[in-house]
Structures are given as structure tokens and as C-alpha cells.
Amino acid sequence: MWGTRKARRTQQTRRLKHDAEDMLSLDSNGFSLPADTRASAESLAVTKRTPVRLSPNEELLIQEQLARHYVFFGQEGMAKVRDSFVVIVGAGGVGSWAALMLLRSGVQRIRVIDFDQVTLSSLNRHAAATRANVGTPKVDALKQSFADIAPHAMVEARVALFSAETAADLLAGEPDYVLDCIDNMDTKTDLLEFCKNHSLEVISAMGAGMKSDPSRVQIADISDTFEDPMSRAVRRRLKLRGIMGGVKVVYSTEKPGKVQLLSLAESQKDEPGDFSVLPDFRVRIVPVLGTMPAMFGVAMATHVLTELAGFPTEPLPVKGRFALYNRMQCDLG
């Protein structure tokens, strides 16, 4: 009896999957799309208003795929998550994991932006890239992987370098949240300033390189960060632009110094700028324990999901800084 029921469920699932795959090749009226039309549709820009058309069978599959999240957030919370549009800037170790978990959690409109390509050294931390992806854009590797996980999702892969000049275009479309996963501090500051000036919700990843203690990863306002050199540098740059706080960041309170940047070769020391990927980008290689960028990315995605769903969270107080202020107050008193 149990074997018969299992066989029936298996057959039903196969039929649902087959019907869902067929729907991906249909237009809004149910007619088959020509191959060239499908290709052009895949390259269209994604915005908050981009429709996500699902057949009843595909909706059943998605409901089951997201069943645990529906129990967690409830129908109303998951409706908000699935109706959202999120932009991830930077598709490396942090951004790829953030994008992957947002997709797996039900976000159906995603734009992921990065100018860089997959390298062999990327494979220790990238969420989706394989050896077959080496030499191809990181965003394309993500989109290819995402199609196997959530083929209904609208994913826009932008091979582009973020800058102050391209910000309005790359962050267009009314995103509900922007995830800053850039590792260049000047570019990161440009993104955060644009988001603040245009009232876009944003969370920023600070430095995951040269870190190894998972218990030190925290989410806080950038004005409350400590022990992290990147947070300090970005905070100073934002202050020069009149931004004193109000920027959420994922960072680590782990004390720096246990590992160092790789030294330049003798042949690189005279003109180090000639060896950077782009002007003003870092030349020396940062040692990275592959699990740490993944933790930063998953922490960012978790925070964004709870915000989108309206699920209450209580960030851990930064006890060290408050204790320092109390001691200073006592000393001055």
C-alpha cells in the first residue's frame, strides 16, 4: 500500500514538473515562444514591476519548495518576500551566497551585478561557480545555477562595474533592498551614498578576508562598528560626505593581525598600480578562508528576508563599545 502511494506521488510530481517546464516556453496567452524571443526575454531588465507568470502546477511546486519558509514567515510574510525585488552588487564570495539564499528563500526578482570573471581561486568561496565556469562572468555562473533551482524566478545578470556614474542605471527599478558586496572602498562609499540620498534600503558587507572566527560576525549600524579596519575606513569616508550613520553592515569584531596581505613580487614594487585589475583597485592579494564570505552573505540574506517579511528580530547589542563608554563616563565623573 505504502509503495503504491509513493509511486503515485512520484508520478504526480513528474507531471507537475513537466507542465511547469512547458510553461517556461509560453507567452502570457499560453502560446509557444520562438527560440529567439525566449533568448531576448531572458536578457530583459528586471524591475519591481516585472511580472512573474506561473501556471497552477508551477505554483504548487513552489509552495512545496518553500513550505518550511511558509511555516516560518506565514502567508502574508512570504507574499512580501516573493513580491520583492532585490539588487546584489558584487557576485563574489559574499554576494554569490547572499543572492543564492535569497533565491532559495523565495525572492523572485533579482538583479546581480559584477564586472569580474570566475577564476580557479574563486572556487574556494563562490556559491555556484564550477571549473566549467572559469573565465566566464560571475553573474552568468549564478544565473545558470539559479535556473536549475528556481526556473520561474526573474534573474537579471549585469556584467558591469558599479560607479557613481552608473549608479542610477544599475540601481533602477524600485528595488526593495540593495546588498552592497563590493570590496573596493571608494566604490562601496559611492553606492552607500547613492542609496542614502535616494532612500533605498541597503545593507553593506565589510571585510570577510583575513577573518576566521565565526562567533564574531555581527550586524550593526556602521557607526557602532569596532575592531574592523574596513568599517573604520568606510565610516570615515561616509562622514566626509555628511553621512554619520543609518547604514546597516555585516562585519566581524575579530581583531586583525593574525594573517597579512600577500607581499608584492620584486618586479611589481616599482609600479604596483600596473598590476591591479582596474585603476584604484587593490593590488595585493587578501588571504580568504572560504567559509567566512559565505557566512557574511548568508547573514546579509537572513537580515534582508526578515526585513522584507516584517519578521521581528533583536540584533545583539555591541556590548564592548557600550562598556567602554560606561568606563569613560565613570573616569570623567
Side-chain angles (χ1 to χ4, degrees), residues 1-273:
M1 181 178 69
W2 294 109
T4 302
R5 290 182 179 178
K6 182 177 180 181
R8 288 175 179 171
R9 286 198 302 269
T10 301
Q11 290 176 352
Q12 184 181 21
T13 301
R14 287 174 179 170
R15 285 196 299 271
L16 288 172
K17 288 182 177 178
H18 182 268
D19 292 345
E21 289 170 358
D22 288 344
M23 285 300 296
L24 296 177
S25 300
L26 301 180
D27 64 13
S28 58
N29 296 315
F31 295 103
S32 179
L33 287 170
D36 57 346
T37 305
R38 295 175 207 165
S40 63
E42 290 177 353
S43 63
L44 292 177
V46 177
T47 73
K48 175 71 173 177
R49 309 301 173 189
T50 300
V52 179
R53 296 187 177 93
L54 300 170
S55 70
N57 285 341
E58 176 70 351
E59 179 62 29
L60 286 175
L61 281 176
I62 296 169
Q63 291 273 349
E64 178 62 25
Q65 188 170 333
L66 299 172
R68 305 305 194 274
H69 279 170
Y70 270 100
V71 174
F72 197 94
F73 287 137
Q75 290 288 337
E76 184 179 348
M78 277 305 298
K80 293 176 181 177
V81 170
R82 292 183 61 185
D83 191 47
S84 65
F85 169 45
V86 179
V87 176
I88 300 97
V89 187
V94 176
S96 64
W97 278 100
L100 174 66
M101 293 314 300
L102 288 171
L103 178 91
R104 286 188 180 277
S105 301
V107 176
Q108 297 180 144
R109 300 173 187 85
I110 293 175
R111 180 185 301 150
V112 58
I113 303 163
D114 201 310
F115 72 94
D116 207 1
Q117 297 180 337
V118 177
T119 64
L120 277 173
S121 65
S122 304
L123 302 186
N124 85 318
R125 58 194 180 278
H126 198 274
T130 66
R131 284 193 176 185
N133 299 127
V134 171
T136 66
K138 292 178 178 178
V139 294
D140 288 348
L142 279 176
K143 185 170 182 176
Q144 179 182 343
S145 175
F146 288 1
D148 292 330
I149 300 167
H152 67 282
M154 306 303 293
V155 179
E156 179 186 357
R158 295 285 294 269
V159 182
L161 175 65
F162 186 90
S163 66
E165 292 72 28
T166 61
D169 174 47
L170 295 179
L171 300 183
E174 304 175 68
D176 295 288
Y177 234 105
V178 176
L179 281 72
D180 161 36
C181 305
I182 302 172
D183 57 9
N184 178 272
M185 284 185 285
D186 290 331
T187 309
K188 180 181 290 289
T189 308
D190 288 339
L191 184 150
L192 295 176
E193 181 184 26
F194 183 90
C195 289
K196 289 292 292 182
N197 291 342
H198 292 81
S199 301
L200 295 177
E201 290 289 339
V202 62
I203 184 169
S204 179
M206 298 292 109
M210 301 190 290
K211 305 290 174 64
S212 60
D213 187 349
S215 70
R216 298 282 184 167
V217 179
Q218 295 197 34
I219 297 175
D221 190 282
I222 194 166
S223 61
D224 292 327
T225 58
F226 65 102
E227 299 289 4
D228 180 43
M230 179 176 278
S231 298
R232 186 183 308 114
V234 174
R235 187 168 63 241
R236 288 173 177 171
R237 283 169 167 78
L238 289 174
K239 284 183 178 179
L240 292 175
R241 304 188 190 193
I243 300 172
M244 303 299 161
V247 175
K248 299 169 190 173
V249 299
V250 177
Y251 79 110
S252 172
T253 61
E254 183 176 354
K255 292 182 181 295
K258 287 184 284 188
V259 292
Q260 303 295 329
L261 292 170
L262 296 186
S263 299
L264 293 173
E266 288 298 325
S267 60
Q268 296 176 315
K269 290 182 178 178
D270 292 337
E271 297 291 341

